[in-house]
Amino acid sequence: MTALRAAPPRVWLAVGLLFLAQALSHLDRFLPSLLIKPIKAGLHLSDFEVGLLLGPAFAVFYCTMALPAGYLADRYSRRKLLAGAIAIWCMMTMLAGFADRFGLLLLSRLGVGLGEAALTPCALSLISDWFDRSRRPRAVALMMAGTTFGSALAFLGGGPLFAYISGLPPISLPVIGSVEPWQFVFLVAGPPGLLLAAAMLAVPEPPRTERIGAAIGEDAAHHVPLGTALRFMAQRWRAFLPLVLANAGSLSIGTLSLWNTALFERSFGWDVRRYGVTAGLIYLGVGLIGYPLAGWLASRQLKAGHRDGTLRVFLLGICIVVPATIFYPLAPSGGWAAAGFACFMLGQCLCGTAGPSSLTLLTSSDVRSTTTAVYFMILSLISLVIGPVPVGLLVDWLGDPAALGTAMAIETAAIGIPAILILLFGMKAFRRGVAEVEQLIAASASREPNP
């Protein structure tokens, strides 16, 4: 059984909606950091409370709810689940507009994490059933481009937004009453997402075209039990592990860019506005080139018969990311650093497309959302541990705030070089894993009629 061979315009329109969902999710994640100064002043928050809002408040629910969301997506309508998830995180974003104390704002961020946990498991599952294996990376590339588009909007609009609302008096709204400017931003950020959630109900819900339940075990409703799905991953750890560790390395290196505002200020004398505009333009410009290139390269490799074609693109990407992220923190000038950061972004576009695309090749339609949830849960937990935190510890150990660039380069080398080696040595196991899944799909198809 194969997915749609030539995707009709309606399907590409649906992928466009997934692009918008990715962009919106990143905007909603960025909002608290963009508005943190007036929020802190208005609610009299401590630095500890600010830290909870910007980190664990979102990450905890995002990680813990990913697996239940994936489990549901393997059993029920993915478009309905996705529409509901978008509606939840947008309403929780609006809830922040009513926050008059820390607890309510914390609840809002927990809810955003809850809603966004379903996005990637549902989206990758839908794309995998809309497109056959060789066409899939192009659709994944378009969806993942939404992450850089959302980040670009945040960087380009964050400075002007903050400058604008800082000078505004409280705003009087019908029914609601008087709200602070930062609360107004949260209130108006939610409704566009509710429209997107409604539009998501119109996307086609494809049949699950690659099934292995009959071969590995399924219940009477033709659903693979959660334990069986997890066992499916565990038994193929040699195929999954290189992809997970390499992608975790790439993602962890990517999180080091959270230090970039401080890096460009300390090392090159750039103010926040100058860096924000430059970073936004890099995200936008490189994303427009990098993601289509990644999708084209991966599809070309798969059409040429290379089962590890997507992993080859990932290898190319991380081989760009690592030297670029060692170079740009140590660059002789801000201009050279920006050029190095652009190269880093190109590599991240390749990894950001090839990683999820590779995962779809190792899974089937009836376990794909569950395995995707586990995969991204592991990535998130690893990146939280070995992402930006060790850089701060290393700077403290070096005893010089100006050593930030050195600390970033050291961590990049410590993470990136092993990730490249793990990927190189794991490609053979990945090819075997893909071949085995293809055999299971064929075996399952021969044992049962199309569902």
Side-chain angles (χ1 to χ4, degrees):
M1 293 183 288
T2 58
L4 298 173
R5 289 291 176 182
R10 186 186 179 199
V11 169
W12 279 109
L13 179 61
V15 178
L17 292 178
L18 296 178
F19 165 90
L20 293 177
Q22 284 281 2
L24 183 64
S25 73
H26 272 64
L27 276 174
D28 284 347
R29 291 185 204 183
F30 266 107
L31 271 183
S33 61
L34 294 175
L35 303 172
I36 198 60
K37 187 173 181 180
I39 291 174
K40 183 178 181 181
L43 299 183
H44 308 291
L45 303 181
S46 67
D47 286 337
F48 174 72
E49 289 171 327
V50 168
L52 287 178
L53 290 175
L54 297 182
F58 173 87
V60 168
F61 259 46
Y62 182 81
C63 290
T64 57
M65 297 308 298
L67 185 57
Y71 176 82
L72 292 174
D74 279 334
R75 282 155 178 74
Y76 305 105
S77 170
R78 292 157 288 185
R79 64 184 176 89
K80 292 180 180 178
L81 181 61
L82 187 53
I86 295 172
I88 287 173
W89 94 57
C90 290
M91 287 189 292
M92 297 305 283
T93 297
M94 294 175 66
L95 178 64
F98 297 96
D100 57 358
R101 58 190 182 278
F102 171 73
L104 192 56
L105 193 57
L106 179 66
L107 177 63
S108 164
R109 300 314 298 167
L110 290 172
V112 171
L114 169 65
E116 292 192 15
L119 175 56
T120 305
C122 289
L124 282 183
S125 181
L126 285 169
I127 285 175
S128 298
D129 286 328
W130 283 333
F131 298 88
D132 64 30
R133 292 190 161 217
S134 64
R135 296 175 185 269
R136 206 172 285 166
R138 294 189 178 187
V140 172
L142 175 57
M143 179 191 75
M144 297 305 296
T147 61
T148 56
F149 184 73
S151 300
L153 289 180
F155 275 110
L156 292 174
L161 173 66
F162 177 75
Y164 176 71
I165 71 165
S166 295
L168 289 178
I171 300 169
S172 181
L173 299 175
V175 181
I176 297 174
S178 179
V179 297
E180 293 296 324
W182 64 266
Q183 292 174 309
F184 179 74
V185 173
F186 282 110
L187 289 172
V188 300
L194 297 178
L195 294 176
L196 179 61
M200 200 64 68
L201 293 173
V203 307
E205 177 73 36
R208 300 179 191 268
T209 53
E210 296 178 340
R211 303 177 66 89
I212 61 174
I216 68 171
E218 60 184 11
D219 58 25
H222 300 291
H223 296 147
V224 176
L226 178 60
T228 303
L230 296 177
R231 190 160 53 249
F232 166 82
M233 290 189 72
Q235 291 172 344
R236 291 156 184 83
W237 66 269
R238 288 183 178 85
F240 280 100
L241 190 62
L243 177 60
V244 170
L245 293 180
N247 209 342
S250 170
L251 183 60
S252 298
I253 293 171
T255 63
L256 299 187
S257 64
L258 295 173
W259 284 103
N260 278 3
T261 302
L263 171 72
F264 277 76
E265 181 182 6
R266 296 179 192 178
S267 299
F268 310 117
W270 287 26
D271 59 25
V272 174
R273 184 179 181 87
R274 183 181 181 186
Y275 169 72
V277 171
T278 302
L281 292 174
I282 289 173
Y283 275 114
L284 192 60
V286 176
L288 289 173
I289 298 171
Y291 281 107
L293 175 63
W296 178 79
L297 286 173
S299 289
R300 184 180 176 87
Q301 288 286 312
L302 293 175
K303 288 178 180 177
H306 301 296
R307 284 195 170 100
D308 60 354
T310 53
L311 215 57
R312 295 184 183 195
V313 175
F314 192 101
L315 180 62
L316 173 62
I318 200 169
C319 284
I320 296 173
V321 165
V322 173
T325 316
I326 292 174
F327 167 75
Y328 85 75
L330 303 175
S333 68
W336 279 108
F341 182 61
C343 293
F344 153 84
M345 273 304 305
L346 176 61
Q348 286 286 45
C349 290
L350 299 181
C351 293
T353 297
S357 297
S358 298
L359 182 63
T360 69
L361 301 180
L362 282 176
T363 58
S364 65
S365 295
D366 39 7
V367 298
R368 185 166 286 127
S369 295
T370 299
T371 53
T372 298
V374 172
Y375 176 81
F376 278 96
M377 183 172 62
I378 294 172
L379 294 189
S380 298
L381 292 173
I382 292 176
S383 64
L384 280 174
V385 174
I386 64 171
V389 175
V391 169
L393 294 174
L394 188 55
V395 170
D396 290 343
W397 181 75
L398 293 172
D400 181 8
L404 176 58
T406 301
M408 291 174 65
I410 290 173
E411 181 169 350
T412 298
I415 295 173
I417 294 173
I420 291 172
L421 294 176
I422 288 170
L423 199 60
L424 282 170
F425 286 108
M427 294 188 81
K428 184 176 180 180
F430 178 84
R431 289 193 295 269
R432 286 200 302 265
V434 173
E436 184 179 353
V437 170
E438 291 174 351
Q439 292 169 1
L440 286 172
I441 291 170
S444 186
S446 68
R447 294 182 188 183
E448 64 175 18
N450 291 338

